[in-house]
Amino acid sequence: MRTVRVVSAEFDVRDEGEGDPVLLVAGGGASGRVWDLHQVPALSAAGFRVLTFDRRSLQDPSAPSDPRTVADELACVLEELGIPELRAVGVSSGGEVVQELLLARPRLVTGAVLMATRGRGDLSGRAMADAERELAASGVSLPPGYAAWQRAVLNLSPATWRREDELLDWLDLFETAERAGTAPVPVPAGREPADRLDALGRVAVPVLVLGFEHDLIVPRGCAARSPRPCLADATPSSRTAGTTGTWSGPRR
């Protein structure tokens, strides 16, 4: 692991495998280790060099990070590592970071996968952010077990709920995060995703957009094709795919 410091943050970067580089960007509530069990081994075995990271703000560590800021920081980190171009994969708010990399550094990202993420704000996201801010302002802390159950309701698919051994593992993971203080932080007012759909029309590299049928945090219509403008519609070179489940990892 290598630690790279930029102006506003430090990045602990893990570098596995050899070959063309792939950057994996987790959601804001997750460690980069979330990729270690499945994606890192699979990509390494397929002949890719896999980069994951954990970011520590040097300013206010409790504040949620802005995707544009993180994208700028990552560009500096990759320059420090001597990586002129790569593929990038992002999930949830990590997908927003990858969108900003695609826009700000068009020669850096040669292809991308955007999973369970938005290209614009929407009513469901605003309502959830408002509710989280109201809870935080009240000073009320949900008991860890209840908070873990709530996260499971929002994050896990009906199929996962039917597999009780797997469900128990997720509940334990979510409760551990709550007790450790590493659960997602409410987004400050005015910091919900901006509408980036028009800007994403400039993206020319291949992009795969994945939406999840049972996703309650980022409804599939915000990512995959739907009657309303969505992320896949905005990116001319994209293709889209939907799944019958939901993203079962930490979010935001």
Side-chain angles (χ1 to χ4, degrees):
M1 184 175 68
R2 178 175 173 182
T3 299
V4 179
R5 182 168 183 164
V6 295
V7 173
S8 53
E10 285 184 340
F11 287 75
D12 293 331
V13 182
R14 289 172 293 277
D15 192 336
E16 304 282 346
E18 297 181 357
D20 293 340
V22 179
L23 175 68
L24 305 181
V25 187
S31 164
R33 295 281 185 190
V34 72
W35 305 103
D36 287 356
L37 184 60
H38 298 294
Q39 290 83 5
V40 171
L43 288 167
S44 297
F48 291 98
R49 175 185 178 187
V50 189
L51 302 166
T52 61
F53 65 89
D54 287 307
R55 174 186 180 272
R56 290 186 302 279
S57 174
L58 299 176
Q59 298 172 348
D60 181 359
S62 66
S65 52
D66 179 77
R68 299 187 198 191
T69 298
V70 178
D72 288 341
E73 293 169 347
L74 276 173
C76 295
V77 169
L78 294 169
E79 183 176 356
E80 177 70 19
L81 296 175
I83 299 175
E85 62 180 27
L86 46 60
R87 297 176 175 91
V89 178
V91 63
S92 194
S93 61
E96 295 173 37
V97 172
V98 173
Q99 291 174 49
E100 297 303 330
L101 273 176
L102 285 164
L103 293 171
R105 301 289 194 280
R107 295 183 180 179
L108 175 62
V109 182
T110 60
V113 178
L114 306 174
M115 299 189 292
T117 192
R118 292 175 166 87
R120 57 170 172 82
D122 64 281
L123 178 58
S124 65
R126 288 192 296 272
M128 180 174 292
D130 288 344
E132 289 178 340
R133 284 193 292 268
E134 186 174 353
L135 178 63
S138 74
V140 173
S141 296
L142 297 177
Y146 181 85
W149 173 83
Q150 182 187 56
R151 289 187 67 190
V153 169
L154 291 172
N155 284 277
L156 303 182
S157 72
T160 303
W161 279 90
R162 290 192 293 269
R163 297 191 291 268
E164 291 193 351
D165 289 346
E166 186 175 336
L167 174 61
L168 182 60
D169 288 341
W170 280 112
L171 288 169
D172 287 344
L173 176 66
F174 291 152
E175 184 168 347
T176 298
E178 294 292 337
R179 293 187 184 280
T182 57
V185 178
V187 177
R191 291 275 294 278
E192 287 91 351
D195 190 331
R196 304 295 277 159
L197 299 188
D198 288 344
L200 287 164
R202 303 196 304 267
V203 173
V205 300
V207 177
L208 173 62
V209 179
L210 289 174
F212 296 84
E213 180 179 359
H214 299 298
D215 196 333
L216 300 179
I217 295 179
V218 181
R220 181 175 169 181
C222 293
R225 309 214 182 264
S226 70
R228 297 184 63 198
C230 64
L231 184 56
D233 292 324
T235 314
S237 56
S238 77
R239 63 187 178 95
T240 183
T243 78
T244 57
T246 184
W247 170 256
S248 294
R251 305 292 293 270
R252 305 303 285 269

